[in-house]
Amino acid sequence: MKLSKQDAALFYKLNWALLYYVNQEFTVIKGLTKPDFKDRDRNQIQLLHKILFSNIELIDSFIDENPFNFNKDELTIIEKWKTFIKGKFCVISHPKEHTIFLQPFNNPKAYAVLGLYEDMSDFSSNLPVYADTVLLPFKEKIIYSGMIKSNFIRIEEPENEVLMNIYQKAKNRFGIIRSLDEIVIEDEDLDEDFGDLIASETDIAWYMLEPELPKMPTEILIEALKILGLYVNKKIVMEIAKRDDAVFWLRKVIQDGRYWDREDYGGGWLPIHAIHILPLINTKESLELLLDTIRYRSEEIDHWLTENVASILIAFGEDAIEDLKHYSSDETLDSFTRSTVTLSLAFLTTKYPSHEDNVKEHLLKLLNTTSDPTFACLVAGDLASFHDPSVMPDIRKAFEEDRMDEIIDSEEEIELTIAGEYDSILFNTCKKYPLDHFSRGNIEYLHSINDSNSMSDNIFLDDDPFEFEYEDQLKKIKVGRNEPCPCGSGKKYKKCCMGKGA
């Protein structure tokens, strides 16, 4: 149930050398002069592991440089660690030859894992328990990364019974997996419920929560969203959206300032989730709540305003057009808030062509009456999306009368938009569907951003050494106003980072 002393010593030799290399790159432990972590802070070692397995390319660079002159066999062992499995496991039992680690999410699997210097039964006898760790291949066996002891959480009934049923299904389907070199045939589609992420990042076991959803009052479902933070899936969202009192509870969330704070309830994700749920309800009441939210919370919504809100408004469909026209007429709104609405109107006419003339007339009226040069230029760009040269005299007149902010757009660029020059990115931000916010792919993307930001906060306690280098690189980039923003958002530069200092 454990490695030989010789193999355990080899593992720590290789593992500590790799962690030392990571520390040289990111300086988690200051003053570390050799690959010896025997008396070091476990939290710092845990952070080094986190950095390593979040940046697996570090293994390739370590092998290329080979700073410790390891032989070919030793480097091969390290290279195979790229097939690691990270997450929250259930330690099920201690058969004679190994310990069973169950991964109960997606396509559940059971792994035969060996201890390092100690038998696992010596420090995990009261089974089953949860354990956060990383499983690694080692000489055709499976071991753990060395960080596990302090993470055990006892599993109580009835969850234990559910887990044992999952274990039997995993064993029947895949057997006990004894090597990470084995080929395991499984379904191609990933589990959209992403129970693995929920388990590793929250205190909720999704397979226990899911059957209870239909029986829960809406208030309790909202409480579950708060606990889940970022890791909210489509199933719980659709359960909320079909409730008659959903708007009432979502309004309470949106109007409570505490939920917008990243350091408070739900990590700041709950109101962002809420505005993506409102179009799934798709009533006049939910639209009014969304419009109030982008009016009074535009600062907190921040980049979501230009990245997702247009697509959220569009999801309300044809019935929302008149409300959006009325809303966009309000001169007290922020320029970019109004522009998000006019962009939504322009895109809606591509889906409902019978409204094109009416919306075009409305946008021309906004152009000719607004006293806001930034909004004037933005709405001119929306008018240009109709590819109708007849709007150009009004736009040209606005430029001549100095009513346009030419930092946003030039007359020439608007003419190019009318000619179709920027069609490939014109409506990029409008083509999302609000429910896709809760897809596995999007949540994993947001998780990677959130995780890297949190990691940076931990590592770079002083000034970020990359900050000035990155800033200098940005200054060299010359980006056209209507070109894709270099930040990678997919939207036009003028509606993203232009004028925001980056």
Side-chain angles (χ1 to χ4, degrees):
M1 291 177 61
K2 65 180 178 179
L3 295 177
S4 67
K5 287 185 179 180
Q6 182 179 359
D7 278 347
L10 175 60
F11 166 74
Y12 277 108
K13 169 188 167 183
L14 303 179
N15 178 254
W16 283 5
L18 187 54
L19 293 182
Y20 179 78
Y21 180 82
V22 173
N23 190 70
Q24 284 185 309
E25 296 290 318
F26 291 92
T27 319
V28 173
I29 304 175
K30 294 181 179 179
L32 188 68
T33 58
K34 59 182 180 179
D36 184 354
F37 295 89
K38 187 175 181 181
D39 297 316
R40 295 292 179 174
D41 186 294
R42 291 183 61 84
N43 291 328
Q44 292 180 315
I45 301 173
Q46 190 79 53
L47 180 54
L48 287 172
H49 277 92
K50 186 174 184 180
I51 295 169
L52 172 61
F53 294 110
S54 299
N55 302 273
I56 202 63
E57 67 277 2
L58 288 168
I59 288 182
D60 290 325
S61 58
F62 177 88
I63 291 171
D64 289 341
E65 295 176 28
N66 195 10
F68 292 92
N69 295 316
F70 289 148
N71 62 40
K72 183 179 179 181
D73 290 341
E74 292 169 333
L75 292 177
T76 298
I77 291 173
I78 294 174
E79 185 175 24
K80 287 187 175 182
W81 290 349
K82 292 192 293 184
T83 62
F84 71 91
I85 299 173
K86 178 174 68 172
K88 182 180 284 187
F89 300 88
C90 303
V91 183
I92 297 294
S93 62
H94 297 299
K96 185 176 180 181
E97 303 86 3
H98 49 249
T99 293
I100 299 296
F101 277 51
L102 173 68
Q103 188 183 43
F105 318 106
N106 301 337
N107 291 314
K109 301 177 187 69
Y111 299 92
V113 182
L114 299 183
L116 300 173
Y117 277 119
E118 301 174 85
D119 285 342
M120 289 200 186
S121 58
D122 292 343
F123 53 83
S124 60
S125 55
N126 195 15
L127 301 182
V129 295
Y130 277 129
D132 278 313
T133 193
V134 177
L135 300 187
L136 299 171
F138 187 88
K139 294 188 174 184
E140 300 183 349
K141 301 179 180 68
I142 302 175
I143 60 173
Y144 67 98
S145 66
M147 300 296 292
I148 190 173
K149 273 189 183 181
S150 61
N151 294 328
F152 288 146
I153 301 173
R154 182 83 173 94
I155 299 172
E156 305 293 344
E157 294 286 355
E159 188 173 358
N160 183 14
E161 183 178 346
V162 175
L163 284 171
M164 293 310 295
N165 288 333
I166 293 173
Y167 170 52
Q168 288 302 323
K169 291 178 181 178
K171 191 165 60 168
N172 292 340
R173 186 174 182 192
F174 300 115
I176 303 297
I177 299 171
R178 301 170 186 273
S179 167
L180 297 185
D181 297 327
E182 294 178 14
I183 297 175
V184 179
I185 300 174
E186 56 183 280
D187 296 340
E188 292 183 2
D189 295 333
L190 283 170
D191 175 15
E192 276 295 300
D193 291 344
F194 45 85
D196 51 342
L197 272 177
I198 291 173
S200 64
E201 302 297 331
T202 76
D203 294 327
I204 288 182
W206 173 250
Y207 52 81
M208 296 291 290
L209 175 64
E210 181 184 8
E212 303 300 318
L213 295 179
K215 299 179 255 181
M216 290 181 174
T218 310
E219 181 181 7
I220 303 302
L221 290 174
I222 297 295
E223 185 69 18
L225 291 193
K226 183 177 81 172
I227 298 170
L228 288 167
L230 168 61
Y231 307 95
V232 171
N233 60 31
K234 294 178 182 179
K235 195 161 289 183
I236 190 170
V237 162
M238 293 307 297
E239 183 64 42
I240 292 170
K242 69 184 182 184
R243 302 294 181 90
D244 292 338
D245 59 347
V247 175
F248 171 82
W249 290 106
L250 293 173
R251 179 180 285 110
K252 288 179 74 71
V253 165
I254 288 168
Q255 292 179 348
D256 189 334
R258 295 173 298 175
Y259 290 115
W260 292 92
D261 187 351
R262 283 194 65 183
E263 304 302 322
D264 217 318
Y265 301 98
W269 288 108
L270 190 47
I272 297 300
H273 293 327
I275 65 175
H276 285 83
I277 296 173
L278 292 175
L280 306 177
I281 300 170
N282 202 351
T283 62
K284 189 172 182 65
E285 184 186 15
S286 62
L287 176 60
E288 289 172 351
L289 176 54
L290 177 59
L291 293 175
D292 281 345
T293 303
I294 64 176
R295 175 191 298 273
Y296 298 113
R297 292 287 182 180
S298 60
E299 185 175 338
E300 289 91 341
I301 293 175
D302 195 20
H303 71 279
W304 297 95
L305 185 64
T306 51
E307 185 148 334
N308 279 17
V309 172
S311 62
I312 295 173
L313 292 170
I314 289 161
F316 282 90
E318 185 177 14
D319 292 342
I321 289 176
E322 289 304 314
D323 286 323
L324 296 180
K325 284 169 56 184
H326 177 74
Y327 187 84
S328 64
S329 299
D330 188 347
E331 282 272 358
T332 67
L333 290 169
D334 169 79
S335 306
F336 285 91
T337 301
R338 292 181 79 192
S339 173
T340 298
V341 181
T342 56
L343 174 65
S344 306
L345 284 167
F347 183 81
L348 280 167
T349 65
T350 67
K351 300 178 70 175
Y352 309 103
S354 63
H355 294 272
E356 181 175 323
D357 290 342
N358 182 266
V359 169
K360 194 188 306 177
E361 181 182 348
H362 173 69
L363 297 185
L364 280 168
K365 181 180 178 181
L366 294 181
L367 171 68
N368 292 323
T369 59
T370 184
S371 59
D372 179 349
T374 298
F375 176 66
C377 218
L378 291 168
V379 79
D382 296 327
L383 278 164
S385 70
F386 290 102
H387 304 314
D388 181 358
S390 70
V391 303
M392 200 58 210
D394 289 86
I395 295 172
R396 191 173 291 116
K397 181 181 178 183
F399 275 108
E400 291 170 355
E401 295 176 353
D402 201 26
R403 293 188 288 111
M404 303 282 268
D405 183 354
E406 294 195 51
I407 294 176
I408 299 292
D409 249 337
S410 67
E411 187 175 333
E412 179 186 2
E413 285 172 322
I414 288 178
E415 288 177 336
L416 289 171
T417 303
I418 291 175
E421 183 72 22
Y422 302 112
D423 281 2
S424 62
I425 61 168
L426 196 59
F427 289 126
N428 272 3
T429 58
C430 300
K431 296 174 182 177
K432 300 177 181 178
Y433 184 60
L435 191 59
D436 290 341
H437 170 74
F438 305 98
S439 68
R440 183 184 186 99
N442 188 58
I443 295 299
E444 286 182 333
Y445 166 70
L446 295 173
H447 167 84
S448 68
I449 295 174
N450 204 45
D451 202 40
S452 63
N453 287 342
S454 173
M455 192 179 298
S456 296
D457 291 342
N458 284 321
I459 298 170
F460 303 117
L461 300 178
D462 302 317
D463 290 337
D464 186 339
F466 302 116
E467 179 181 350
F468 301 109
E469 177 185 348
Y470 182 58
E471 187 175 311
D472 289 341
Q473 290 172 356
L474 283 175
K475 288 176 181 177
K476 297 175 184 176
I477 300 174
K478 186 176 181 180
V479 184
R481 298 173 180 84
N482 285 295
E483 292 179 15
C485 186
C487 77
S489 66
K491 52 185 176 285
K492 289 183 182 181
Y493 180 49
K494 69 181 181 184
K495 290 194 173 185
C496 188
C497 292
M498 190 173 79
K500 297 181 182 178

